[in-house]
Amino acid sequence: MFDESGKFRDEFAALAPTGHRRMGMNPHANGGELLVPLAMPHFHDYAVRVSAPGSVEAESTRVLGVFLRDVMKLNLANQNFRLFGPDETASNRLDAVYEASGKEWMARLEDVDINLSINGRVMEVLSEHLCEGWLEGYLLTGRHGLFSCYEAFVHIIDSMFNQHAKWLKTCKTIPWRKPIASLNYLLTSHVWRQDHNGFSHQDPGFIDHVASKKSDVVRIYLPPDANCLLSVADHCLRSRNYVNLIIAGKQPEWQWLDIDSAVRHCTVGAGIWQWASNDAYDPDVVMACAGDVPTLETLAAVTLLREYIPDIRIRVVNVVDLMALQPQTEHPHGLEDQDFDALFTRDKPVIFAFHGYPRVIHWLTYRRHNHDNFHVRGYREEGTTTTPFDMVVLNNLDRYQLALDAISRIPRLRQEKQTATDRYWSTMERHKLYVSEHGEDMPEVQNWRWTS
Amino acid sequence: MFDESGKFRDEFAALAPTGHRRMGMNPHANGGELLVPLAMPHFHDYAVRVSAPGSVEAESTRVLGVFLRDVMKLNLANQNFRLFGPDETASNRLDAVYEASGKEWMARLEDVDINLSINGRVMEVLSEHLCEGWLEGYLLTGRHGLFSCYEAFVHIIDSMFNQHAKWLKTCKTIPWRKPIASLNYLLTSHVWRQDHNGFSHQDPGFIDHVASKKSDVVRIYLPPDANCLLSVADHCLRSRNYVNLIIAGKQPEWQWLDIDSAVRHCTVGAGIWQWASNDAYDPDVVMACAGDVPTLETLAAVTLLREYIPDIRIRVVNVVDLMALQPQTEHPHGLEDQDFDALFTRDKPVIFAFHGYPRVIHWLTYRRHNHDNFHVRGYREEGTTTTPFDMVVLNNLDRYQLALDAISRIPRLRQEKQTATDRYWSTMERHKLYVSEHGEDMPEVQNWRWTS
């Protein structure tokens, strides 16, 4: 292929493609150039009607499924939206999407098959690796998608997430790279509901893993109810060049915010729930929460505290956008110090009920004024196949523990601590006996309702 | 198979194995019962001779390789020790083991093959999944092993590690389960040396992942030199029912401790390096470090500080056993508060140079008295293919930054801060220009030597 002088012969050099046939000119290699924004239905139309906080139950991911069905429908013609999941679309209660499109299936269709289609836009296979790889390629070539996964098993693709996040970070410094759709994760079937699974299915650590990446790339959302989930999901599907991590339950849960309140709450990222607070700008304690189950336990703790200590002044703060907790110097979503202090005070005890490992809240907030008063409850690697309430008990995230934490930390209630501790242990004894005898939670837990 | 009354016929029931032929009676299912302790060479015999701190260089993993070779040799007859790695045993400089045993190879041997053997005890394949799975099975059935892996890519088996750690935790509560050998990881080719790789090869986050598991299961070691690595590795290979994570470099690096000092240091887990300190119980600043490269930068910062501020009083603290930083209530290796205070003081600034993400040090220490004075430098997701020193500069972990951090935080040096800041920036300018022009580090960095 070389002439006498060692030069590559022109006839071979001429074989290389030129102009738009060069590999680097393939428009799919710069997917952002091909990106067609999703046609989006108006997410308000899918809202759960919440006339008052805690007046109605809903399954958050099922509500989201109907919204996703219509995202699917509206973009069928453009063929640029797909849902990915390791055989869990129905288990994660997103199966309304099948009304718009089936599961992609490349073999023969049999009469017994359900929801399969040779033109399906739902990609299902019990391999988190394949789902992640497919979705990354789909995004990089200018399309849109969402990966729904059991929370504990998303660690399978930790390393793949890493490389995608590093790619996004690097591309931001390359001017000719056009923005691509965000990598959206919906983690559900999460650590706190283990009625049928168990210890092997419990790991909220993907939060920690995602949060290690550059702040201009990652976003983490813990919507406390269905309307917040709708607002967050709409935002994530419209965003570009991020990794969005959304964690939301699939079980029937009490709903807290009507859709307008949900949008306001999610826009700010963290806020005082006035309807649950009675602190008049001077709380005894801040009861903070992030995640659907911790929110339930916190609100239940509030009702217990009002019963135990009628004159207690409680502020309830809910955090949807976890990065709001970080200083603004560390993350663009971070609250300014004065706004953080306005929520969490500079000197009052904060009892923080968190979905994941407690350390996350500590390292997000250690530079804040009131950090020494933060007392965080979360997952501490305790669990088994058990009732919903026993799961939180095993990890000291339950309403009785949170109420005891509050009383123990409020200086003016020092006299109440012993009574509160005794009451806590006798309740725990009742709980343990009831669960082991009946296999379900105590009536006062099962029938608990929010009362303002 | 059933008779008229619906009873399972005896002739079929009789097919099930009885006694020791039952699946549950397979002794490999309770590997601890089969465990034969490793015959161990005396690790002192492999020590690097260190007549004075910083007087000799060595490649830590190469030193370890010779020790592992003899572990291999001494246990060849028992066939109960294997080394696992994703095609990196030589790259990780452990290739002395090939003098004892080759790489397991099941196909025909060709003349060009090197270090292959049909009876090889080194398991190599470029699949972290296979290495991890093989090793887990090997341990669960009563044998011993070590997995050496590039630091960034061990995230590939995050999820498999999770399940093994959960298994270990659960087995501790089952009395008939006998202890098995620990799952030992050696992470090398780490984030701080990227002369030939780059951003994709940088991730020290396995530390965070491992640390989320129960404290009675996980151990994390950052030996600063070869003799400490020997001491730690010997300890880990003898241990039972743990996951041991060891992180150590493979490049030529200055050696600090003779073998007796190394053993003492690793036994405690964290300590004052008196030979590098001149604080006389009253330091201006504590210069702390964990990891080989951070230790180098810290000691270099100490020499700079002595030059800038001749009367400065510095204490150097090195941490090998990361869990020593946690409160004793959280981890059995945790230092008691009074011992922690004796190292880090209750009121002096601590400049902590850390191998991994800075947040790790913050959440390990946030309950300690002096936490508000902890100023941590570590990996912040900045990096590329560059010189060793430029990697630390990009992440603000370099000696000049550490020295500036110290001066900025020592109250009595307030007057020096502006001079120190100007000096820092002019040094950074020189560094940037030198690296871009020469492709290597400045002579004063390359030729730096410890001077007491």
Side-chain angles (χ1 to χ4, degrees):
Chain A
M1 294 198 292
F2 299 87
D3 68 16
E4 297 69 25
S5 67
K7 182 173 168 292
F8 192 44
R9 287 186 193 279
D10 288 342
E11 62 200 277
F12 296 113
L15 291 174
T18 57
H20 280 283
R21 291 178 181 273
R22 288 172 295 168
M23 196 188 289
M25 296 304 288
N26 183 331
H28 291 88
N30 188 6
E33 288 201 331
L34 304 177
L35 191 79
V36 176
L38 287 174
M40 294 287 284
H42 196 45
F43 69 92
H44 285 68
D45 299 343
Y46 304 82
V48 178
R49 201 161 161 275
V50 181
S51 56
S55 61
V56 58
E57 283 188 302
E59 297 154 288
S60 291
T61 56
R62 199 179 292 287
V63 173
L64 180 70
V66 181
F67 174 66
L68 290 176
R69 175 197 67 193
D70 290 352
V71 175
M72 188 76 87
K73 269 189 197 160
L74 285 176
N75 297 280
L76 270 186
N78 278 337
Q79 299 193 16
N80 65 344
F81 179 73
R82 285 187 189 270
L83 186 66
F84 300 77
D87 219 14
E88 295 160 359
T89 305
S91 163
N92 291 336
R93 308 193 183 171
L94 301 171
D95 40 323
V97 293
Y98 294 136
E99 296 167 27
S101 180
K103 290 182 258 198
E104 171 84 343
W105 183 250
M106 306 186 78
R108 197 175 56 186
L109 292 173
E110 310 279 355
D111 287 346
V112 294
D113 290 335
I114 298 170
N115 295 330
L116 301 187
S117 160
I118 53 166
N119 293 312
R121 307 206 65 76
V122 179
M123 307 296 287
E124 278 214 352
V125 60
L126 217 174
S127 161
E128 287 78 1
H129 288 121
L130 276 178
C131 292
E132 173 78 13
W134 284 338
L135 176 53
E136 287 186 12
Y138 200 62
L139 299 174
L140 290 170
T141 51
R143 280 80 66 88
H144 310 259
L146 177 81
F147 180 7
S148 94
C149 190
Y150 270 48
E151 182 185 44
F153 301 136
V154 74
H155 274 302
I156 292 171
I157 55 79
D158 277 1
S159 187
M160 299 175 77
F161 154 81
N162 266 356
Q163 300 302 335
H164 192 82
K166 283 173 179 281
W167 164 275
L168 289 176
K169 180 210 169 215
T170 304
C171 288
K172 289 196 178 180
T173 66
I174 301 172
W176 53 264
R177 281 233 165 258
K178 298 285 175 269
I180 60 170
S182 299
L183 172 54
N184 298 310
Y185 295 101
L186 171 67
L187 303 189
T188 183
S189 306
H190 63 52
V191 55
W192 297 113
R193 297 302 293 270
Q194 299 291 331
D195 316 29
H196 305 297
N197 295 310
F199 190 44
S200 61
H201 285 54
Q202 296 164 9
D203 192 310
F206 198 60
I207 294 172
D208 308 54
H209 187 63
V210 167
S212 71
K213 292 293 165 287
K214 278 309 241 200
S215 59
D216 50 356
V217 170
V218 297
R219 304 287 183 268
I220 301 172
Y221 300 98
L222 294 144
D225 67 6
N227 287 340
C228 289
L229 176 59
L230 282 173
S231 172
V232 164
D234 178 78
H235 174 76
C236 293
L237 288 173
R238 294 170 186 272
S239 74
R240 301 286 182 266
N241 276 357
Y242 293 151
V243 177
N244 295 308
L245 174 61
I246 310 172
I247 301 171
K250 67 183 182 183
Q251 305 287 352
E253 292 179 305
W254 292 112
Q255 301 296 304
W256 311 114
L257 303 185
D258 62 55
I259 190 68
D260 291 331
S261 307
V263 172
R264 262 197 310 275
H265 185 50
C266 295
T267 303
V268 184
I272 299 173
W273 280 4
Q274 295 293 359
W275 53 266
S277 307
N278 69 330
D279 63 288
Y281 304 102
D282 181 28
D284 289 313
V285 65
V286 176
M287 302 294 286
C289 46
D292 50 6
V293 167
T295 299
L296 170 71
E297 291 307 312
T298 292
L299 291 170
V302 168
T303 57
L304 289 172
L305 284 166
R306 296 228 169 99
E307 185 187 317
Y308 300 155
I309 320 276
D311 71 341
I312 195 169
R313 300 185 308 278
I314 302 174
R315 173 182 298 177
V316 174
V317 172
N318 184 270
V319 178
V320 180
D321 177 349
L322 200 60
M323 294 297 121
L325 296 176
Q326 271 199 306
Q328 208 166 43
T329 50
E330 298 292 313
H331 196 285
H333 287 197
L335 292 171
E336 296 217 36
D337 269 344
Q338 63 197 42
D339 297 329
F340 187 92
D341 293 348
L343 293 181
F344 294 102
T345 79
R346 288 180 77 117
D347 55 1
K348 297 298 194 280
V350 177
I351 311 301
F352 202 121
F354 180 52
H355 175 89
Y357 293 109
R359 66 186 191 186
V360 175
I361 301 303
H362 285 296
W363 66 256
L364 289 172
T365 60
Y366 73 86
R367 289 191 192 169
R368 300 294 196 173
H369 295 125
N370 200 28
H371 174 253
D372 284 352
N373 279 325
F374 270 60
H375 186 62
V376 186
R377 298 290 183 178
Y379 185 61
R380 52 188 198 106
E381 286 287 321
E382 293 293 344
T384 182
T385 313
T386 190
T387 68
F389 187 68
D390 195 43
M391 262 308 293
V392 288
V393 168
L394 288 172
N395 290 278
N396 297 112
L397 181 71
D398 62 277
R399 55 197 67 178
Y400 300 106
Q401 178 70 60
L402 296 175
L404 176 59
D405 286 344
I407 292 170
S408 306
R409 296 228 158 186
I410 297 171
R412 75 173 176 95
L413 300 181
R414 200 164 300 136
Q415 310 283 4
E416 305 285 338
K417 191 172 168 182
Q418 192 54 53
T419 312
T421 305
D422 294 345
R423 183 172 48 211
Y424 169 76
W425 286 113
S426 79
T427 310
M428 286 300 103
E429 186 185 350
R430 263 195 302 124
H431 159 75
K432 291 288 174 199
L433 289 172
Y434 195 92
V435 164
S436 73
E437 188 173 343
H438 299 273
E440 58 179 34
D441 290 321
M442 298 185 293
E444 66 232 68
V445 170
Q446 288 202 57
N447 302 328
W448 176 87
R449 294 285 301 267
W450 170 252
T451 45
S452 51
Chain B
M1 295 196 291
F2 299 86
D3 67 16
E4 297 69 29
S5 69
K7 181 174 169 290
F8 192 45
R9 286 187 194 279
D10 287 341
E11 63 200 277
F12 295 112
L15 292 173
T18 58
H20 279 283
R21 291 178 181 274
R22 288 172 295 167
M23 195 187 292
M25 295 305 287
N26 183 331
H28 291 90
N30 188 6
E33 289 202 331
L34 304 178
L35 191 78
V36 176
L38 287 174
M40 294 287 283
H42 196 41
F43 69 92
H44 285 67
D45 300 343
Y46 304 82
V48 178
R49 205 168 156 270
V50 181
S51 56
S55 60
V56 57
E57 284 188 302
E59 297 155 287
S60 292
T61 56
R62 199 178 293 286
V63 173
L64 180 71
V66 182
F67 173 67
L68 290 177
R69 175 198 67 192
D70 290 353
V71 175
M72 189 75 87
K73 268 188 197 161
L74 285 176
N75 298 281
L76 270 185
N78 277 338
Q79 298 193 17
N80 65 343
F81 178 72
R82 285 186 189 270
L83 186 66
F84 300 77
D87 219 15
E88 295 160 1
T89 305
S91 163
N92 290 336
R93 308 196 183 169
L94 301 171
D95 40 325
V97 294
Y98 295 136
E99 296 167 27
S101 180
K103 291 181 256 195
E104 170 86 340
W105 182 249
M106 307 187 78
R108 197 176 55 185
L109 292 172
E110 309 280 356
D111 288 345
V112 295
D113 291 335
I114 298 171
N115 295 330
L116 301 186
S117 160
I118 53 165
N119 292 312
R121 307 205 66 76
V122 179
M123 307 297 287
E124 279 215 350
V125 60
L126 217 174
S127 161
E128 286 78 1
H129 288 120
L130 276 179
C131 292
E132 173 78 14
W134 284 338
L135 176 53
E136 287 185 11
Y138 201 63
L139 299 173
L140 290 170
T141 50
R143 278 80 66 89
H144 309 260
L146 177 80
F147 180 6
S148 94
C149 189
Y150 270 47
E151 183 185 44
F153 301 134
V154 73
H155 275 302
I156 291 171
I157 53 80
D158 276 3
S159 187
M160 299 175 78
F161 153 82
N162 266 357
Q163 299 302 335
H164 191 82
K166 283 174 178 282
W167 166 273
L168 289 175
K169 181 210 169 215
T170 305
C171 288
K172 289 198 177 178
T173 66
I174 302 173
W176 53 264
R177 281 234 164 256
K178 298 286 176 269
I180 60 170
S182 299
L183 172 53
N184 297 309
Y185 295 100
L186 171 67
L187 303 189
T188 184
S189 307
H190 64 50
V191 55
W192 297 112
R193 296 303 293 268
Q194 298 292 330
D195 316 27
H196 304 296
N197 295 310
F199 190 45
S200 60
H201 285 55
Q202 296 164 9
D203 192 308
F206 198 60
I207 294 172
D208 309 55
H209 186 63
V210 167
S212 71
K213 292 295 164 286
K214 278 309 241 198
S215 59
D216 51 357
V217 170
V218 297
R219 302 287 183 270
I220 301 172
Y221 299 99
L222 294 143
D225 67 6
N227 288 340
C228 289
L229 175 59
L230 282 173
S231 171
V232 164
D234 179 78
H235 174 76
C236 293
L237 288 174
R238 294 171 187 272
S239 73
R240 300 286 180 267
N241 276 357
Y242 293 151
V243 177
N244 294 309
L245 175 61
I246 309 171
I247 301 171
K250 67 182 182 183
Q251 305 287 353
E253 292 180 305
W254 292 112
Q255 301 296 301
W256 311 114
L257 302 186
D258 62 56
I259 189 70
D260 291 331
S261 306
V263 172
R264 265 195 310 275
H265 185 49
C266 295
T267 303
V268 184
I272 299 174
W273 279 3
Q274 294 293 359
W275 53 268
S277 306
N278 69 330
D279 63 289
Y281 304 103
D282 181 28
D284 289 313
V285 64
V286 177
M287 301 295 287
C289 45
D292 50 6
V293 167
T295 299
L296 171 71
E297 292 306 313
T298 292
L299 290 170
V302 169
T303 57
L304 289 172
L305 284 166
R306 296 229 169 98
E307 185 189 318
Y308 301 156
I309 319 278
D311 71 339
I312 195 169
R313 299 185 309 278
I314 302 174
R315 174 182 297 176
V316 174
V317 173
N318 184 269
V319 179
V320 180
D321 177 348
L322 200 59
M323 294 298 120
L325 296 176
Q326 273 198 306
Q328 206 165 45
T329 50
E330 297 293 312
H331 196 285
H333 287 198
L335 293 170
E336 296 218 38
D337 269 344
Q338 63 197 42
D339 297 329
F340 187 91
D341 293 347
L343 293 182
F344 294 102
T345 79
R346 288 180 77 119
D347 55 2
K348 298 296 195 279
V350 178
I351 311 299
F352 202 122
F354 180 52
H355 175 89
Y357 293 110
R359 66 185 192 187
V360 175
I361 302 302
H362 286 296
W363 66 255
L364 290 172
T365 60
Y366 73 87
R367 288 191 191 169
R368 300 293 194 174
H369 294 125
N370 200 27
H371 174 253
D372 284 351
N373 279 324
F374 270 59
H375 185 61
V376 186
R377 298 290 184 178
Y379 186 61
R380 52 186 200 106
E381 285 288 319
E382 294 292 344
T384 180
T385 313
T386 190
T387 68
F389 188 67
D390 196 44
M391 263 308 294
V392 287
V393 167
L394 289 171
N395 290 280
N396 296 112
L397 182 71
D398 62 277
R399 55 198 68 181
Y400 300 107
Q401 178 71 59
L402 298 174
L404 175 60
D405 286 345
I407 293 171
S408 306
R409 296 226 156 188
I410 297 172
R412 74 173 176 95
L413 300 181
R414 200 163 300 134
Q415 310 282 3
E416 304 286 338
K417 190 171 170 183
Q418 192 54 53
T419 312
T421 306
D422 295 345
R423 185 172 47 212
Y424 170 75
W425 285 113
S426 79
T427 310
M428 285 299 103
E429 186 185 351
R430 264 194 302 123
H431 160 73
K432 290 287 173 200
L433 290 172
Y434 194 92
V435 164
S436 72
E437 189 173 342
H438 299 274
E440 58 180 33
D441 290 321
M442 299 186 293
E444 65 231 69
V445 170
Q446 287 202 58
N447 302 327
W448 175 86
R449 295 283 301 267
W450 170 251
T451 45
S452 51

